[in-house]
Amino acid sequence: IGSAKQGAESLGVNANIAALLVGLVSTMNGISRPINGAIFDRFGLIPVMLIQAAITALTMLALAISFSGSLPQLYFVAAIMIAFPYGSAPVMASAFARQRYGAEGFAKNLGVVNLTIAAGSMISIAIGLIVGSAGDGINDDTIYLVLAFLAVVAFASVFLFRRVYTEDLKKIDEELQ
């Protein structure tokens, strides 16, 4: 959300329109939360994770293309769409903590689950350090291609997680019976 305006302006978008983009990105973030919650309630955690990883990969690729081809319209759409999976994080964390650990100790368990945000922050810091040390050698499109690759890795890792998660939920169900 914080870099949407600067990205748009670097592609030649008027400052007022770029500021509007920030509001639209934030709005999509908010809209995505009940949608992701409904998907979780209907289909469970794994489909939400797969959908969000796929949207992230496609959106990061679109952002890379928007910079390599100087396509501000594509950037506008992709910047708004990346807020959809971003908005799923608090929903998935809350729903996972409640489903996995139950109501007892929910606040503590939610806090632990939300530590996953720290991993994302560390990746962000690492990318910032790499880009900063490279000076002008790394372009925005390269950064977004790397992020698209990481999103594909995240998508693939959901299949590994699904196996462990499914077995874990079976054990919990057996313990409750």
Side-chain angles (χ1 to χ4, degrees):
I1 295 173
S3 63
K5 184 176 187 285
Q6 294 88 329
E9 287 177 337
S10 74
L11 289 170
V13 174
N14 172 293
N16 291 332
I17 301 298
L20 172 65
L21 175 60
V22 173
L24 293 172
V25 170
S26 182
T27 300
M28 175 59 87
N29 182 350
I31 289 171
S32 72
R33 293 172 189 222
I35 294 170
N36 282 298
I39 294 169
F40 184 97
D41 288 345
R42 175 100 164 117
F43 301 106
L45 177 65
I46 301 302
V48 175
M49 292 175 71
L50 289 170
I51 290 167
Q52 301 322 321
I55 291 172
T56 300
L58 292 172
T59 303
M60 290 298 162
L61 182 60
L63 287 166
I65 293 168
S66 73
F67 281 106
S68 66
S70 293
L71 301 168
Q73 297 87 351
L74 180 59
Y75 176 83
F76 225 80
V77 172
I80 293 169
M81 286 308 301
I82 195 59
F84 191 84
Y86 184 74
S88 74
V91 173
M92 287 194 301
S94 298
F96 173 77
R98 173 66 188 243
Q99 182 181 44
R100 170 59 183 87
Y101 301 107
E104 186 176 325
F106 174 73
K108 175 189 72 173
N109 291 321
L110 179 60
V112 171
V113 170
N114 275 327
L115 283 175
T116 59
I117 295 170
S121 296
M122 298 293 214
I123 291 170
S124 177
I125 291 167
I127 290 171
L129 290 172
I130 292 167
V131 170
S133 67
D136 291 335
I138 298 180
N139 297 325
D140 289 330
D141 54 346
T142 304
I143 294 167
Y144 286 115
L145 282 174
V146 169
L147 292 173
F149 171 76
L150 291 174
V152 170
V153 169
F155 182 86
S157 71
V158 173
F159 292 101
L160 298 173
F161 173 76
R162 176 176 60 182
R163 184 175 181 180
V164 173
Y165 181 68
T166 303
E167 291 173 11
D168 193 41
L169 288 180
K170 284 180 187 175
K171 288 178 187 175
I172 293 169
D173 286 343
E174 289 170 4
E175 290 171 6
L176 292 175
Q177 294 176 3

